[in-house]
């Protein structure tokens, strides 16, 4: 039984919209879930057998996104998706989520990462699934019956959900930059040498902008910085109850050095940082430049963006409000 | 799929062992031998222990009923447990309970029928389903499950959640359930890790077991009581280089001996085969590959390919009555052959060289057979050969 048609599209639509939200909060996921009315995916007068089969397939599909090599955000989204599918299914008794032995340790590591990074809602949800006994502990992820299919259906990994390869950085490495600088200097010197006036090269030899190399260097450095900032995405942290969202925004618009260094300690290669902030500490010009990708990434969640204008570049001051935020500054 | 450094796949070279011994954890980690096809061989009980070791102390393995309904649970206690497990404050735990509640996932309003597809949906799945429903409405006069579907669903779910009356029959926590699929006749069975191979052997229904040998045209009333199952009791399972022969009765013979002798007579490229007694081994003792075809042979030459499709830990929602295992959960529905005359009853006799029959062979139910071939006193009329016939659909 293959995946029911359309199911993959729907799950990927949900996950990619969740990815665009740049959040790993369950609230955001739940809002997306409700807006897409994803729970109705079980509606439609399926008879018992079809209900069982469909639910099994849906859980298997969602499970795939929960394991590597998908990005952290997609994996958390998949966890929420599993939670939603498991609890909204219409089968009685509920169809379970199969987890193979070889994946279990990875799952536990993920759970520990969630706890360490204080993504308590995701950790809570995983814990709840376990307590509800939603899992079947199996040898292999799916039933194997030695079916020699003509075309082996390999699970295709959706490229957009993976951590992207940075081809730009691969192309313009520091070696290349250095070599370019050498060539450029050599070229300038040559121009000087062969010109009549030793101090100024011939105007007719101006075939290339003098600051060409500097421009490239700046552009590449900007790209690197953008990439680095993008990798530490601004994930909003849960704050104590009763806090208004707008309050949280304005606090996050300032960054203190301590938060920055704590963030560095806690962050891993691909996982997210507890302290969330949308502010940009680098040059103001970066914010103004309508860099389409980065702008898009940051501005999708409009309701969080009202304080973008009040961004203070390189905010070194520790605001009293930040100091009060023991929650995400604790080590 | 998971990138990890432990658990290198077993070499699979488990030949030359007499008694299966659980080896170190690394060798019993199920991994694909051929992707998507089957795993390498591993020891069942050791695999079970690997899982149980990881879940010990947690509630995952428990077979007890959950304390009635999560809503009833004392939220204060629950928050304390959450705070302890996640390392957060009690306040956060309470907030989590609110934020992650199931009500946040509800997409239907009160009173909305969960079976009706909402109008303005973007979901592709629902679009497909809606078209299918529409098509069914237009083309089918009566839209209901056919017999096969009902049968299949019943098979799958008839024992789910069953608890034994006698608590001694309760399955233990941490028991393994193997899903065992047999071909021709196609059926899937669940069997417990602690059960002996002989228990599975006894529960496999093959029509050849019921055959009654012999020609009975002259003595139709004396078809013997003995079916083949009683006469030819030998059988074996073949798993990973070992033939497990049924030796419970004195008449049981070692059917595998022929094969072993054949393989040893020349260098045929097979490793050394072992033999063992079926009744001495449970499934927990075996080394097997999940998804790999093995053999069950009985009646001398009736062979069935068997595949272990899945092994998992027992779950609270499974059938917990030990006595019901091996449990059939999937079975091929076979159309029974009906009597040629009345077309109503299942055929019980088959005739050859029959002057009364329009075709050779021809099938009759008991009543029609006697009416056609014998007179009122029971004398044989005409020339024919008659054999008792057992239809494969008998097991439906």
């Amino acid at each position: 039984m293959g995946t029911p048609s359309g199911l993959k599209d729907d799950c990927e639509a949900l996950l990619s919209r969740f990815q665009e939200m740049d959040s790993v909060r369950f609230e955001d996921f739940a809002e997306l879930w409700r807006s897409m009315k994803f729970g109705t995916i079980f509606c439609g007068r399926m008879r018992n057998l079809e209900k069982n089969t469909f639910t099994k397939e849906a859980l298997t599909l969602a499970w795939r996104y929960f394991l590597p090599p998908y990005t952290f955000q997609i994996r958390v989204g998949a966890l929420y998706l599993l939670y939603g599918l498991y609890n909204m299914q219409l089968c009685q008794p509920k169809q379970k989520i199969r987890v193979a032995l070889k994946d279990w340790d990875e799952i536990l590591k993920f759970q520990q990462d969630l706890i360490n990074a204080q993504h308590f809602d995701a950790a809570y949800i995983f814990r709840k699934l376990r307590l509800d006994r939603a899992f079947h502990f199996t040898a292999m992820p799916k039933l194997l019956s030695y079916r020699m299919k003509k075309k082996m259906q390999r699970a295709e990994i959706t490229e957009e959900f993976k951590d992207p390869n940075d081809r730009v950085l691969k192309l313009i490495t520091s070696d290349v930059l250095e070599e370019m600088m050498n060539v450029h200097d050599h070229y300038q010197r040559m121009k000087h040498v062969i010109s009549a006036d030793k101090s100024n090269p011939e105007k007719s030899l101006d075939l290339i902008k003098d600051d060409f190399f500097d421009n490239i260097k700046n552009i590449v450095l900007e790209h690197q910085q953008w990439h680095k900032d993008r990798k530490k995405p601004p994930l909003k942290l849960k704050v104590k109850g009763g806090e208004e969202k707008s309050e949280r925004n304005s606090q996050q618009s300032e960054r203190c050095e301590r938060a920055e260094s704590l963030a560095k300690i806690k962050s891993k290669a691909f996982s997210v940082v507890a302290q969330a902030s949308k502010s940009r500490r680098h040059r103001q010009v970066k914010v103004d430049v309508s860099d389409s990708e980065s702008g898009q990434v940051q501005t999708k969640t409009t309701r969080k963006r009202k304080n973008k204008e009040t961004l203070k570049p390189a905010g070194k001051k520790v605001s009293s409000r930040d100091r009060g935020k023991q929650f995400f500054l604790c080590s | 799929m998971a990138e990890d450094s432990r658990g290198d796949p077993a070499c699979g070279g488990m030949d030359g062992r007499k008694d299966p011994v659980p080896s170190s954890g690394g060798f019993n980690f199920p991994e694909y031998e051929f992707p998507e096809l089957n795993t390498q061989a591993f020891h069942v009980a050791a695999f079970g222990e690997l899982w149980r070791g990881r879940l010990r102390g947690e509630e995952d393995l428990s077979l007890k009923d959950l304390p009635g309904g999560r809503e009833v649970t004392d939220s204060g206690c629950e928050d304390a447990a959450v705070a302890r497990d996640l390392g957060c404050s009690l306040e956060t735990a309470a907030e989590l309970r609110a934020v992650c509640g199931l009500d946040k996932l509800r997409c239907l309003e009160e009173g909305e029928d969960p079976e009706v597809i909402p109008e303005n949906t973007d979901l592709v799945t629902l679009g497909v389903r809606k078209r299918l429903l529409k098509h069914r409405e237009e083309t089918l006069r009566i839209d209901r499950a056919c017999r096969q579907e009902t049968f299949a669903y019943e098979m799958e779910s008839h024992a789910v959640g069953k608890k034994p009356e006698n608590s001694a029959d309760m399955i233990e926590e941490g028991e393994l359930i193997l899903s065992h699929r047999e071909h021709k006749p196609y059926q899937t069975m669940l069997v417990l890790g602690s059960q002996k191979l002989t228990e599975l052997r006894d529960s496999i229904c093959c029509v050849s077991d019921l055959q009654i040998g012999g020609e009975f045209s002259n003595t139709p009333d004396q078809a013997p009581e003995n079916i083949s199952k009683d006469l030819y009791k030998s059988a074996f399972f073949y798993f990973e280089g070992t033939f497990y022969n049924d030796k419970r009765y004195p008449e049981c013979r070692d059917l595998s001996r022929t094969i072993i002798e054949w393989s040893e007579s020349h260098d045929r490229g097979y490793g050394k085969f072992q033999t063992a007694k079926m009744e001495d081994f449970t499934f927990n003792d075996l080394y097997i590959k999940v998804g790999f075809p093995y053999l069950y042979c009985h009646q001398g030459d009736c062979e069935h390919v068997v595949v272990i499709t899945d092994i998992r830990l027992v779950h609270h929602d499974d059938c917990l009555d030990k006595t019901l295992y091996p449990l059939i959960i999937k079975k091929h529905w076979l159309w029974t052959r009906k009597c040629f005359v009345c077309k109503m009853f299942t055929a019980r006799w088959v005739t050859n060289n029959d002057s009364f029959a329009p075709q050779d062979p021809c099938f009759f139910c008991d009543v029609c057979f006697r009416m056609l071939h014998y007179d009122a006193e029971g004398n044989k009329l005409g020339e024919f050969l008659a054999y008792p016939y057992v239809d494969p659909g008998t097991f439906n």
Side-chain angles (χ1 to χ4, degrees):
Chain A
M1 57 181 124
T3 314
S5 51
L7 191 55
K8 188 162 190 261
D9 297 328
D10 290 329
C11 288
E12 290 198 349
L14 177 65
L15 286 175
S16 63
R17 282 167 72 170
F18 184 64
Q19 191 182 37
E20 281 165 14
M21 284 178 117
D22 256 345
S23 156
V24 285
R25 296 279 73 83
F26 180 70
E27 291 172 287
D28 299 328
F29 180 87
E31 201 188 301
L32 199 51
W33 173 275
R34 285 192 302 269
S35 75
M36 286 180 77
K37 287 199 166 180
F38 212 85
T40 60
I41 206 163
F42 296 109
C43 295
R45 288 179 10 219
M46 285 191 283
R47 288 192 291 259
N48 284 329
L49 195 65
E50 194 191 342
K51 247 193 280 191
N52 284 355
T53 318
F54 177 78
T55 311
K56 263 187 253 195
E57 282 298 316
L59 291 173
T60 311
L61 181 68
W63 179 256
R64 284 216 300 264
Y65 296 104
F66 185 47
L67 298 169
Y70 291 104
T71 67
F72 182 82
Q73 201 186 3
I74 292 294
R75 291 178 71 180
V76 176
L79 175 62
Y80 295 153
L81 177 62
L82 283 168
Y83 182 64
L85 289 174
Y86 179 76
N87 284 300
M88 292 291 114
Q89 64 176 293
L90 300 172
C91 302
Q92 201 52 247
K94 290 195 156 50
Q95 293 296 323
K96 311 288 183 285
I97 305 169
R98 289 175 63 89
V99 50
L101 181 63
K102 60 189 175 78
D103 298 328
W104 183 248
D105 293 338
E106 172 63 47
I107 306 286
L108 286 186
K109 190 158 77 79
F110 186 70
Q111 167 79 338
Q112 198 51 47
D113 287 347
L114 289 175
I115 294 179
N116 293 344
Q118 296 186 348
H119 294 300
F120 290 126
D121 46 4
Y124 176 83
I125 278 173
F126 180 75
R127 179 182 176 278
K128 187 151 195 302
L129 279 174
R130 262 182 97 171
L131 282 183
D132 289 343
R133 295 195 281 225
F135 295 109
H136 266 166
F137 302 105
T138 69
M140 297 305 281
K142 55 178 198 184
L143 271 68
L144 300 169
S145 51
Y146 212 70
R147 288 258 164 83
M148 309 277 256
K149 290 209 179 64
K150 291 199 183 80
K151 40 185 172 93
M152 293 293 280
Q153 290 164 357
R154 300 220 175 252
E156 298 137 20
I157 299 182
T158 314
E159 284 302 319
E160 297 77 47
F161 295 163
K162 278 170 69 173
D163 276 318
N165 284 326
D166 195 350
R167 294 217 178 91
V168 175
L169 283 183
K170 278 190 190 146
L171 186 61
I172 313 236
T173 61
S174 49
D175 292 337
V176 171
L177 279 178
E178 202 177 306
E179 201 176 325
M180 273 170 46
M181 183 175 75
N182 290 337
V183 167
H184 188 74
D185 284 342
H186 194 65
Y187 174 69
Q188 296 292 71
R189 268 185 271 120
M190 286 299 289
K191 281 205 289 189
H192 274 97
V193 161
I194 61 172
S195 308
D197 177 0
K198 295 299 173 194
S199 52
N200 275 331
E202 202 75 28
K203 279 284 185 281
S204 58
L205 290 176
D206 269 342
L207 298 169
I208 177 175
K209 284 203 171 90
D210 280 343
D211 55 357
F212 162 73
F213 171 72
D214 289 319
N215 279 342
I216 279 203
K217 193 174 64 165
N218 288 339
I219 289 172
V220 170
L221 283 180
E222 266 181 40
H223 178 86
Q224 269 183 352
Q225 183 62 33
W226 169 80
H227 201 66
K228 229 182 282 178
D229 290 327
R230 198 172 168 276
K231 270 194 156 188
K232 289 194 290 183
L235 295 173
K236 299 174 282 295
L237 181 70
K238 278 205 75 54
V239 288
K240 292 209 181 100
E243 200 90 24
E244 292 303 321
K245 292 206 169 78
S246 53
E247 221 182 327
R248 203 196 323 173
N249 267 341
S250 48
Q251 280 146 23
Q252 287 171 356
S253 66
E254 292 164 347
R255 261 194 128 182
C256 56
E257 272 193 72
R258 190 160 152 255
E260 177 78 13
S261 57
L262 278 172
K264 281 202 175 66
I265 293 166
K266 283 195 189 178
S267 73
K268 287 185 185 168
F270 62 86
S271 75
V272 297
V273 177
Q275 290 86 326
S277 169
K278 287 208 201 296
S279 70
R280 290 282 167 267
R281 297 186 68 240
H282 51 271
R283 299 171 291 257
Q284 194 72 22
V285 66
K286 172 79 166 118
V287 177
D288 286 337
V289 167
S290 53
D291 190 358
S292 51
E293 292 108 330
S294 70
Q296 227 170 22
V297 160
Q298 305 313 324
T299 54
K300 251 323 189 246
T301 51
T302 46
R303 63 190 173 100
K304 303 284 178 218
R305 286 279 91 221
K306 4 190 192 141
N307 290 316
K308 190 171 192 247
E309 294 73 39
T310 65
L311 285 175
K312 294 184 187 50
K316 304 279 185 210
K317 311 196 294 285
V318 179
S319 85
S320 53
R321 279 179 300 183
D322 272 340
R323 208 175 272 138
K325 287 283 130 258
Q326 303 296 341
F327 198 42
F328 57 76
L329 292 184
C330 61
S331 46
Chain B
M1 270 192 342
E3 305 116 21
D4 45 64
S5 49
R6 52 98 247 254
D8 44 333
C11 48
M14 305 285 186
D15 302 322
R17 69 186 182 282
K18 275 280 178 217
D19 300 306
V21 168
S23 54
S24 64
F27 286 108
N28 292 302
F29 226 85
E31 292 278 358
Y32 279 120
E33 188 185 29
F34 296 107
E36 310 291 315
L37 271 189
N38 62 277
T39 65
Q40 95 285 13
F42 60 91
H43 191 261
V44 175
F47 155 75
E49 197 39 52
L50 283 175
W51 256 129
R52 285 189 290 269
R54 281 163 170 74
L55 299 174
R56 206 151 274 148
E58 312 283 341
E59 286 301 308
D60 304 283
L61 295 180
S62 167
L63 298 177
K64 299 193 201 52
D65 292 326
L66 283 172
R70 307 302 293 175
E71 304 81 31
V72 182
T73 317
D74 178 13
S75 5
C77 272
E78 201 189 310
D79 289 345
V82 169
R84 184 193 62 229
D85 289 341
L86 302 183
C88 63
S89 68
L90 270 179
E91 254 180 0
T92 314
E95 200 192 336
L96 286 172
R97 189 160 37 87
V99 166
C100 303
L102 293 181
D103 52 310
K104 298 286 186 295
L105 295 169
R106 299 223 187 284
C107 299
L108 295 168
E109 307 298 320
E110 279 298 319
E112 259 189 284
D113 186 3
E115 298 290 12
V116 172
I117 298 181
E119 278 305 318
N120 49 344
T121 178
D122 289 327
L123 296 173
V124 179
T125 319
L126 288 184
V128 169
R129 202 174 292 152
K130 213 187 271 194
R131 279 201 300 279
L132 197 65
L133 277 178
K134 192 153 163 285
H135 181 256
R136 275 182 12 205
E137 263 166 54
E138 284 164 10
T139 55
L140 297 175
R141 220 181 310 155
I142 304 173
D143 192 2
R144 56 150 197 210
C146 62
R147 269 184 291 179
Q148 282 79 4
E149 192 183 321
T150 316
F151 177 72
Y153 176 70
E154 282 302 311
M155 278 262 112
E156 213 177 81
S157 53
H158 71 286
V160 161
K162 276 217 176 108
K163 308 272 191 306
E165 285 165 15
N166 187 356
S167 62
D169 291 333
M170 186 78 161
I171 298 181
E172 282 169 22
E173 272 180 27
E175 177 74 83
L176 288 171
I177 292 188
L178 292 97
S179 186
H180 179 274
R181 178 183 293 179
E182 193 203 328
H183 290 258
K184 294 210 181 332
Y186 184 93
Q187 60 191 23
T188 303
M189 294 209 246
L190 297 180
V191 66
L192 299 174
S194 57
Q195 288 187 303
K196 296 213 188 76
L197 296 182
T198 44
E199 290 179 70
L200 177 64
R201 181 251 195 274
D202 291 335
S203 68
I204 292 182
C205 326
C206 174
V207 70
S208 66
D209 277 337
L210 301 178
Q211 300 296 346
I212 300 164
E215 204 273 317
F216 291 101
S217 56
N218 298 314
T219 52
D221 299 322
Q222 286 169 23
E225 303 293 309
N226 292 336
I227 53 175
S228 302
K229 189 166 189 170
D230 303 327
L231 290 174
Y232 309 113
K233 296 208 176 88
S234 318
F236 70 76
F237 279 108
Y238 171 78
F239 292 117
E240 285 300 303
T242 306
F243 290 93
Y244 297 90
N245 287 292
D246 190 353
K247 286 289 181 68
R248 288 175 289 175
Y249 309 101
E251 345 25 289
C252 290
R253 299 211 316 240
D254 184 356
L255 296 175
S256 59
R257 204 154 38 106
T258 330
I259 304 175
I260 296 179
E261 280 166 7
W262 168 85
S263 119
E264 284 173 1
S265 59
H266 297 291
D267 179 19
R268 302 200 192 262
Y270 296 105
K272 187 140 184 5
F273 290 127
Q274 313 275 337
T275 53
K277 282 201 196 154
M278 202 194 277
E279 58 270 24
D280 289 344
F281 284 87
T282 65
F283 279 96
N284 277 332
D285 301 326
L286 299 177
Y287 277 96
I288 47 166
K289 296 181 186 177
V290 174
F292 195 74
Y294 295 113
L295 195 71
Y296 167 64
C297 177
H298 65 139
Q299 297 292 322
D301 63 352
C302 184
E303 292 175 357
H304 305 265
V305 171
V306 301
V307 180
I308 309 279
T309 53
D310 181 34
I311 309 183
R312 62 174 172 82
L313 290 173
V314 69
H315 187 275
H316 165 262
D317 286 340
D318 292 323
C319 171
L320 297 177
D321 189 349
K322 244 195 291 204
T323 59
L324 292 176
Y325 285 89
L327 181 67
I328 299 184
I329 53 166
K330 212 187 242 187
K331 206 165 177 155
H332 203 60
W333 172 286
L334 292 163
W335 293 102
T336 56
R337 213 187 283 273
K338 300 287 190 291
C339 167
F340 187 81
V341 178
C342 62
K343 309 266 195 304
M344 272 180 13
F345 293 103
T346 307
R348 293 262 310 277
W349 290 93
V350 60
T351 59
N352 291 114
N353 301 333
D354 193 350
S355 44
F356 295 114
Q359 60 193 32
D360 193 327
C362 194
F363 298 89
F364 299 96
C365 68
D366 198 47
V367 172
C368 299
F369 173 69
R370 287 174 200 279
M371 274 207 302
L372 183 59
H373 295 94
Y374 301 91
D375 62 18
E377 280 86 48
N379 299 317
K380 182 174 169 179
L381 307 167
E383 284 302 314
F384 60 92
L385 299 167
Y387 306 91
Y389 173 74
V390 182
D391 192 276
T394 309
F395 295 115
N396 278 354

